[in-house]
């Protein structure tokens, strides 16, 4: 499963739940209208539990001279960490927006993501990430989400199906 598919599922689900489109953190070109939500894949792919499971099978050959090839598949269950932040000029509005996004991951989104083979592993506590911008405070409240998903790496080998051996005496 690709990061793009995961991102699309999360953005679609949060938009449906909150009525606002989560913005990739790196795409903030201009200030958005408050409140708004950002996301950032701070650790998009971590395979830390073992080396995965490897499978081999015979598949139809891509070379018409042969009947079969060997296809090897490495099945993995990597994790990703996503940072979610709500922004507002009002602290309570930022907190409530972040809390609603968090609630989505904990309940409605948990099932929605599970239906697309993405598992919510952990949702961290809300944290104050407020910054001062010249003459006002931009209230930022955020949390991190750890998800797990299935991934596969494949490779294919041609087989040696027949060999002609000549012996000389």
């Amino acid at each position: 499963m690709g990061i793009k598919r995961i991102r699309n599922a999360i953005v679609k689900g949060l938009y449906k739940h909150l009525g606002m489109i989560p913005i990739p953190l790196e795409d903030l070109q201009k200030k958005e209208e408050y409140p708004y939500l950002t996301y950032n894949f701070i650790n998009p792919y971590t395979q830390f539990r073992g080396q995965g499971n490897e499978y081999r099978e015979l598949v139809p050959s891509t070379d018409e001279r042969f009947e079969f090839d060997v296809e090897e598949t490495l099945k993995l269950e990597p994790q990703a960490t996503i940072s979610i932040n709500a922004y507002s000029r009002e602290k309570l509005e930022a907190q409530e927006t972040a809390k609603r996004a968090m609630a989505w991951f904990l309940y409605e989104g948990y099932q929605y993501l599970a239906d697309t083979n993405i598992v919510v592993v952990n949702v961290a506590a809300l944290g104050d990430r407020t910054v001062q911008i010249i003459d006002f405070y931009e209230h930022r409240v955020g949390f991190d989400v750890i998800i797990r998903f299935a991934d596969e790496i494949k490779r294919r080998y041609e087989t040696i199906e027949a060999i002609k051996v000549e012996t000389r005496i």
Side-chain angles (χ1 to χ4, degrees):
M1 174 178 302
I3 301 298
K4 185 176 181 179
R5 185 168 161 238
I6 294 166
R7 180 208 59 197
N8 290 348
I10 291 170
V11 168
K12 180 181 175 184
L14 282 170
Y15 172 69
K16 185 177 178 185
H17 182 72
L18 298 172
M20 64 177 72
I21 298 173
I23 304 160
L25 183 62
E26 64 275 4
D27 284 356
L28 285 177
Q29 307 279 326
K30 59 179 179 64
K31 283 294 179 191
E32 302 293 325
E33 188 175 319
Y34 293 117
Y36 63 92
L37 197 71
T38 64
Y39 66 91
N40 184 25
F41 280 78
I42 57 176
N43 193 342
Y45 195 102
T46 303
Q47 175 63 31
F48 70 96
R49 288 186 137 160
Q51 296 299 313
N53 296 313
E54 189 173 329
Y55 301 90
R56 287 184 186 91
E57 66 178 319
L58 292 175
V59 295
S61 181
T62 56
D63 185 333
E64 67 276 349
R65 296 175 299 160
F66 303 110
E67 187 176 355
F68 296 107
D69 288 341
V70 175
E71 184 175 80
E72 293 182 340
T73 304
L74 179 61
K75 293 188 178 193
L76 303 165
E77 291 184 358
Q79 292 185 349
T81 304
I82 307 155
S83 180
I84 307 290
N85 289 293
Y87 300 72
S88 180
R89 278 192 171 239
E90 298 175 22
K91 188 171 194 167
L92 290 175
E93 184 177 52
Q95 289 173 340
E96 186 57 34
T97 302
K99 182 182 175 293
R100 288 177 53 218
M102 175 188 268
W104 182 79
F105 281 101
L106 290 170
Y107 192 63
E108 183 182 340
Y110 185 92
Q111 187 59 52
Y112 167 76
L113 293 172
D115 291 344
T116 61
N117 295 320
I118 301 167
V119 176
V120 176
V121 175
N122 185 44
V123 179
L126 290 180
D128 190 340
R129 300 171 180 179
T130 298
V131 297
Q132 184 175 10
I133 301 176
I134 304 172
D135 59 348
F136 75 95
Y137 284 97
E138 181 176 69
H139 295 283
R140 299 176 182 180
V141 178
F143 60 96
D144 293 342
V145 178
I146 298 174
I147 59 169
R148 184 178 304 128
F149 52 96
D151 193 21
E152 291 184 350
I153 300 171
K154 293 184 181 270
R155 63 183 171 190
R156 182 183 282 247
Y157 297 100
E158 293 179 346
T159 59
I160 299 174
E161 296 184 15
I163 187 166
K164 183 177 179 182
V165 177
E166 291 183 21
T167 58
R168 296 181 192 211
I169 300 184

